[in-house]
Amino acid sequence: MLTIVLRSIIIYLIVLFVFRIMGKRQLGQMQPFELVLTLIIADLATIPMAEISVPVLHGIVPLFTLVILHFVLTLLTRFSSKFSAVVSGKPVIVINPNGLDYKAMKKLSLTIDDLFEAMRGLGYFSLEQVDYAIMETNGKISVLPKAEHAPATNQSVGAEVEKSVIPINIISEGKILKDNMLLANIDENFIEKFLKNKVGKAKIKDVLVMTIDDNGLVYLQLKQGSKQTFENVRAA
C-alpha cells in the first residue's frame, strides 16, 4: 500500500511539473494537438500509479517524451503557417453579410443549434445582429456584430474617463501579501494605521480582502462585515 502511495505522489508531482512547463491554457483554449497530448498524458499517468509491476521510470519517460514533442510541435506551428494549418486547422467564417455559410458549417460538422448556443453565450440571440461569426481553431466562436448592435464604448459615446488602474491585493484572508505591499509602495505601519482610523478595532487578521490602486482607492472587506471603499487614501 505504501508503495502505491509513494508512486502516486511521484507521478502526481511529475505530471504537475509537466503541465506547468506546457503552459496555462484552459481546455477550451487548447489547439487540437495540445488536447490530444493532454489526454494521453492523463492516461499514461494512471498506469504506473495502479500497476506496481510497471516500473515508475516506464511512466516517466513517455511523459517527458510527450513534453518534448509538445515543444517541437509548438515551435513548428509558430514558424510555419502551413504546418500550423495542418495541425491546428484554420479559422472558418460561418456567418457573413450574406447569411449562414452552409458549406463551411457542414465541413465543420456544426449544426444550427450549436451555432445559436454559441451566439447566445456571447449575448446575441438573432442572426440579424451579426455581420460575421468565425469558428476559431480551438473550437470557440468569435462574433463581429453589426454596428447598431455593437456594445457601446466610452469612445463611441464621447465620454471622458480616468486612466484605468489595476488594484493591488494587499491582504488576503488575514494575511499580508508582502510582495504586493512593496509593489504598492506601502508598509505594514500604513496598513495598521489605516485600519485603526477607518474601522476601529479591526486587525489585519480580521480582514478578508484589502486592495489599493494608484489612485488611492481602497476596497476593504472584513471577515465579519460588508465591503467598504475609501477614496484618496494616499493623499490622506
Side-chain angles (χ1 to χ4, degrees):
M1 181 63 71
L2 181 59
T3 302
I4 295 177
V5 172
L6 292 175
R7 288 164 69 96
S8 298
I9 293 174
I10 293 171
I11 295 299
Y12 170 78
L13 293 175
I14 291 173
V15 172
L16 179 62
F17 173 75
V18 165
F19 278 109
R20 286 287 293 163
I21 63 177
M22 283 178 62
K24 293 186 176 182
R25 292 195 188 188
Q26 298 177 0
L27 286 177
Q29 299 173 330
M30 287 184 176
Q31 297 299 333
F33 75 91
E34 293 175 318
L35 181 58
V36 170
L37 284 173
T38 301
L39 295 175
I40 294 176
I41 288 174
D43 191 46
L44 281 174
T46 61
I47 296 175
M49 283 186 182
E51 297 292 338
I52 300 180
S53 59
V54 178
V56 175
L57 191 62
H58 287 191
I60 296 175
V61 172
L63 289 176
F64 282 101
T65 301
L66 289 176
V67 172
I68 295 172
L69 177 61
H70 170 267
F71 282 113
V72 171
L73 290 175
T74 300
L75 286 174
L76 290 175
T77 55
R78 184 176 299 170
F79 293 111
S80 173
S81 57
K82 291 184 179 179
F83 184 81
S84 178
V86 172
V87 175
S88 301
K90 294 181 178 180
V92 178
I93 297 175
V94 292
I95 298 179
N96 57 52
N98 295 323
L100 297 171
D101 189 330
Y102 180 66
K103 290 184 179 180
M105 293 179 61
K106 190 174 181 180
K107 184 179 179 180
L108 294 169
S109 299
L110 181 68
T111 67
I112 298 293
D113 289 340
D114 292 335
L115 183 58
F116 279 164
E117 181 180 351
M119 287 174 54
R120 289 194 297 269
L122 296 172
Y124 301 100
F125 290 79
S126 170
L127 293 172
E128 286 296 325
Q129 296 177 291
V130 176
D131 257 341
Y132 289 94
I134 302 172
M135 172 66 78
E136 305 292 355
T137 57
N138 61 8
K140 297 289 186 179
I141 294 284
S142 298
V143 169
L144 177 66
K146 293 182 178 179
E148 60 269 27
H149 295 290
T153 63
N154 291 317
Q155 183 178 9
S156 65
V157 299
E160 294 185 3
V161 294
E162 294 183 355
K163 180 181 177 181
S164 298
V165 292
I166 300 176
I168 301 174
N169 193 10
I170 303 301
I171 302 177
S172 177
E173 297 184 18
K175 297 179 181 179
I176 291 180
L177 306 178
K178 293 185 178 180
D179 290 342
N180 289 0
M181 186 173 61
L182 294 174
L183 188 62
N185 195 28
I186 60 177
D187 55 24
E188 191 168 339
N189 290 331
F190 173 90
I191 297 174
E192 292 177 345
K193 183 178 178 181
F194 171 82
L195 292 176
K196 182 178 180 181
N197 292 337
K198 301 297 183 180
V199 289
K201 298 181 179 180
K203 297 182 179 180
I204 292 174
K205 65 179 182 180
D206 301 320
V207 177
L208 177 63
V209 61
M210 175 181 172
T211 68
I212 186 171
D213 63 23
D214 288 341
N215 293 331
L217 178 67
V218 169
Y219 178 103
L220 175 70
Q221 183 169 350
L222 303 180
K223 293 179 179 178
Q224 302 294 332
S226 57
K227 66 178 183 179
Q228 303 178 69
T229 55
F230 305 90
E231 297 182 354
N232 301 318
V233 170
R234 293 184 186 274

